[in-house]
Amino acid sequence: MDFFMAKFSKHVALYQKTSYSEITASLWLSLRLQLLAAFIISFIALMAVIGNFGDFPFKLGTPGLVGLALSYASPIVSLLSSFLTSFTETEKEMVSVERVLQYIDIPQEEQCGSVSPHLDWPSHGQIEFEHVTLRYKPSLPAALNNLSFKINAGMQVGVVGRTGAGKSSMINALFRLTPICNGRILIDNLNVAEVAVRELRQSFAVVPQSPFLFEGSLRDNLDPSGGTSEEKIWEILEKVHIRTLIESAGGLDIQVKESSVTFSIGQCQLICLARALLKSSKVKLVN
Ligand SMILES: Nc1ncnc2c1ncn2[C@@H]1O[C@H](COP(=O)(O)OP(=O)(O)OP(=O)(O)O)[C@@H](O)[C@H]1O
Ligand SMILES: [Mg+2]
């Protein structure tokens, strides 16, 4: 409840900030329009007076014509402001249209795969990269260039490389976060490109390079799908040596924030490690 209230008031504050600036801007516009209109009317009045003396090029002629000119000039304020308001409104609405068009153009991930793997896939955990080439953008050089290797089931493999060598890119390729442009990746002889992304990403446990905690209770963070027993969670926490830390922080039901201030980066990493260990997956990736 508190969480939603806080979120709500944050959004309301943001909305009020923008609408305040909008109102100020439109008041400033209408002030300037009124000044412009006042200038036009005074110009006509001045011309009417001056035009009567001497031979001036703009003669308004009879007092009737002067009255006509003045009566035509007076609604100019409202006309000008309504014209400009509709103009700016159209412009503003067009921004929404533009935004929608922008979202339409975002390429969508393919939701369903052509093969549906077994429930217990991957049952062994053999990973095979065959001539994998990955490019983040067509104009950029390949982050992974013709990479081939095979990791047999049950092996623990560490990939070592300089920073920027492409270690994280291998995980991106495996999870299909970035599509590969050449080659294929097989897990237990099943091409990952043929599996639905949702199932693919559910099948592995990963500890990302930058630890990620989402907003919610610590229990949800450790066991997002639910269903793991309390003892099991504590056992894993014991294994990654953060049991005492969690106990002193207030147990599994404490709320964590996305921009975690409660835990240090290292502690977040351990929580992510515990999350990966709790997932009974044959393939575990630690970045
Ligand atoms: N989102 C991206 N867009 C464009 N280029 C990227 C992107 N992510 C990575 N790269 C490029 O791909 C190459 C490999 O990056 P990657 O993140 O895989 O390196 P890494 O081995 O994980 O490095 P580190 O040890 O620092 O984590 C780098 O040269 C990087 O510039
Ligand atoms: Mg990396």
Side-chain angles (χ1 to χ4, degrees), residues 12 77 80 88 105 114 131 182 186 198 200 213 246 258 260:
V12 168
V77 192
L80 256 182
T88 47
D105 282 344
S114 51
H131 309 288
N182 207 356
L186 304 170
R198 209 189 160 88
L200 174 70
L213 296 183
I246 304 291
E258 217 164 284
S260 181

Side-chain angles (χ1 to χ4, degrees), residues 134-137 140-144 161-170 172 178 209 287:
L134 179 141
R135 248 176 249 280
Y136 284 97
K137 279 191 198 111
L140 289 176
L144 299 177
R162 268 192 9 239
T163 172
K167 302 177 295 293
S168 304
S169 304
M170 281 166 55
N172 287 352
T178 317
Q209 185 162 13
N287 194 352

Side-chain angles (χ1 to χ4, degrees), residues 66-268:
V66 172
L68 185 69
L70 277 177
S71 68
Y72 272 150
S74 58
I76 209 164
V77 192
S78 58
L79 280 178
L80 256 182
S81 72
S82 66
F83 167 69
L84 276 176
T85 315
S86 45
F87 186 76
T88 47
E89 275 299 315
T90 318
E91 192 89 331
K92 251 168 40 191
E93 302 301 321
M94 276 304 161
V95 173
S96 318
V97 176
E98 230 168 68
R99 194 59 39 82
V100 170
L101 286 179
Q102 186 192 339
Y103 286 138
I104 288 176
D105 282 344
I106 294 175
Q108 216 183 351
E109 276 183 330
E110 224 176 280
Q111 287 302 316
C112 35
S114 51
V115 290
S116 48
H118 249 264
L119 271 184
D120 58 349
W121 178 81
S123 50
H124 305 288
Q126 173 188 293
I127 302 174
E128 203 174 345
F129 273 55
E130 280 180 1
H131 309 288
V132 173
T133 301
L134 179 141
R135 248 176 249 280
Y136 284 97
K137 279 191 198 111
S139 55
L140 289 176
L144 299 177
N145 196 358
N146 202 8
L147 177 71
S148 302
F149 62 83
K150 183 172 174 181
I151 300 174
N152 285 323
M155 279 169 79
Q156 283 184 19
V157 178
V159 180
V160 186
R162 268 192 9 239
T163 172
K167 302 177 295 293
S168 304
S169 304
M170 281 166 55
I171 294 187
N172 287 352
L174 189 60
F175 275 92
R176 283 172 56 198
L177 292 171
T178 317
I180 54 176
C181 42
N182 207 356
R184 53 186 199 152
I185 302 172
L186 304 170
I187 314 262
D188 284 352
N189 295 319
L190 194 64
N191 191 345
V192 294
E194 288 165 4
V195 184
V197 275
R198 209 189 160 88
E199 284 174 63
L200 174 70
R201 291 172 193 167
Q202 265 172 1
S203 309
F204 313 117
V206 64
V207 182
Q209 185 162 13
S210 38
F212 177 75
L213 296 183
F214 47 86
E215 208 135 345
S217 72
L218 187 63
R219 187 193 303 275
D220 291 341
N221 265 285
L222 287 167
D223 179 27
S225 49
T228 312
S229 69
E230 182 107 14
E231 296 91 72
K232 177 84 186 159
I233 296 180
W234 283 114
E235 190 192 312
I236 297 285
L237 289 179
E238 176 91 59
K239 255 192 202 161
V240 296
H241 305 288
I242 46 169
R243 187 183 177 131
T244 41
L245 169 82
I246 304 291
E247 272 169 351
S248 61
L252 289 177
D253 290 314
I254 54 166
Q255 292 292 316
V256 288
K257 293 252 155 44
E258 217 164 284
S259 53
S260 181
V261 280
T262 346
F263 301 110
S264 72
I265 302 280
Q267 288 166 342
C268 289

